Amino acid sequence: AQSVSQHNHHVILSEAASLELGCNYSYGGTVNLFWYVQYPGQHLQLLLKYFSGDPLVKGIKGFEAEFIKSKFSFNLRKPSVQWSDTAEYFCAVSTDSWGKLQFGAGTQVVVTP
Amino acid sequence: DAGVTQSPTHLIKTRGQQVTLRCSPKSGHDTVSWYQQALGQGPQFIFQYYEEEERQRGNFPDRFSGHQFPNYSSELNVNALLLGDSALYLCASSLGGSSSYEQYFGPGTRLTVT
């Protein structure tokens, strides 16, 4: 069965620190990859997505992610976090043409001032 | 431009009862997907509606059913509620149900089964 694994459930870091969240998936075929974010009290919203081409994709708010096909990974990074980056982050994979998303369990990120 | 809206916001039901949740997609979107998000977990795909038909379904029992109306709004029905159905139910809309298009999520309906 396909699965999406996020390595950390909770991450606490200080402002200006760098952030990297791991995501691995188990599927041997073509995948579309996504990172979603849920800020406190807000809807899930798309941070960035990868369909094809340059494996390094840039999203909103200074986030980027790198697709490494050989490692089945799609890790999210931000060089310098802000307090406003406190949120829950979800990695998601789509393996069909209709956009059904399979999500990881999420990582709660807390940025302290 | 209204985004995805869901109603009600919160709902408390008793085990064995039935519940209906509603979703209005973002303007211009014709595809609605439903997800269940249990506490501490990521959203799990329930099913997707396109052109008023269920196009694909996740690993959920037949107690979970849905409907899409001509105006693209959608309902999720759950019969014979179990305690384990307590969760946040998310609706997402997109255009054409293609993975090429972003899915926009609503705020969710928090269902508590007692």
Side-chain angles (χ1 to χ4, degrees):
Chain A
Q2 301 160 23
S3 65
V4 180
S5 299
Q6 292 186 236
H7 304 166
N8 307 95
H9 293 295
H10 292 92
V11 172
I12 301 175
L13 58 166
S14 301
E15 277 191 312
S18 63
L19 172 69
E20 180 160 0
L21 302 182
C23 174
N24 286 88
Y25 63 92
S26 62
Y27 183 73
T30 301
V31 294
N32 293 328
L33 299 160
F34 307 81
W35 275 97
Y36 280 83
V37 61
Q38 188 167 31
Y39 298 103
Q42 296 188 25
H43 309 181
L44 267 175
Q45 57 184 283
L46 183 68
L47 261 183
L48 46 79
K49 61 186 177 185
Y50 172 80
F51 289 162
S52 63
D54 188 345
L56 184 62
V57 294
K58 296 190 183 299
I60 60 172
K61 304 187 180 185
F63 285 90
E64 65 180 28
E66 184 177 14
F67 170 51
I68 303 179
K69 188 175 181 179
S70 61
K71 296 185 177 180
F72 299 91
S73 70
F74 189 55
N75 293 350
L76 180 71
R77 296 193 292 254
K78 186 170 183 178
S80 176
V81 295
Q82 301 173 320
W83 176 80
S84 58
D85 292 322
T86 294
E88 189 154 21
Y89 293 81
F90 293 94
C91 179
V93 174
S94 177
T95 60
D96 62 43
S97 59
W98 291 339
K100 179 182 82 173
L101 295 172
Q102 184 164 358
F103 285 85
T107 298
Q108 182 66 51
V109 174
V110 175
V111 180
T112 59
Chain B
D1 178 23
V4 179
T5 60
Q6 294 186 241
S7 62
T9 306
H10 296 89
L11 203 52
I12 300 175
K13 289 287 188 178
T14 302
R15 189 173 49 185
Q17 287 187 315
Q18 178 265 344
V19 69
T20 297
L21 311 181
R22 295 176 175 83
C23 171
S24 291
K26 181 178 170 63
S27 178
H29 285 183
D30 58 7
T31 303
V32 172
S33 301
W34 287 92
Y35 293 82
Q36 179 196 65
Q37 186 177 12
L39 199 61
Q41 298 182 23
Q44 300 291 316
F45 177 79
I46 302 175
F47 42 53
Q48 183 184 83
Y49 276 84
Y50 174 68
E51 294 188 342
E52 301 181 50
E53 291 193 359
E54 182 183 294
R55 185 157 67 173
Q56 55 178 325
R57 187 180 185 91
N59 188 26
F60 278 81
D62 291 344
R63 297 187 297 108
F64 290 76
S65 63
H67 189 77
Q68 186 178 36
F69 299 93
N71 66 353
Y72 307 122
S73 66
S74 177
E75 288 182 349
L76 164 65
N77 301 292
V78 187
N79 295 322
L81 284 167
L82 304 174
L83 297 179
D85 295 331
S86 295
L88 180 68
Y89 288 84
L90 297 170
C91 170
S93 74
S94 60
L95 183 60
S98 167
S99 60
S100 298
Y101 297 101
E102 178 179 348
Q103 291 193 39
Y104 289 79
F105 283 82
T109 293
R110 173 73 63 187
L111 172 65
T112 302
V113 182
T114 62

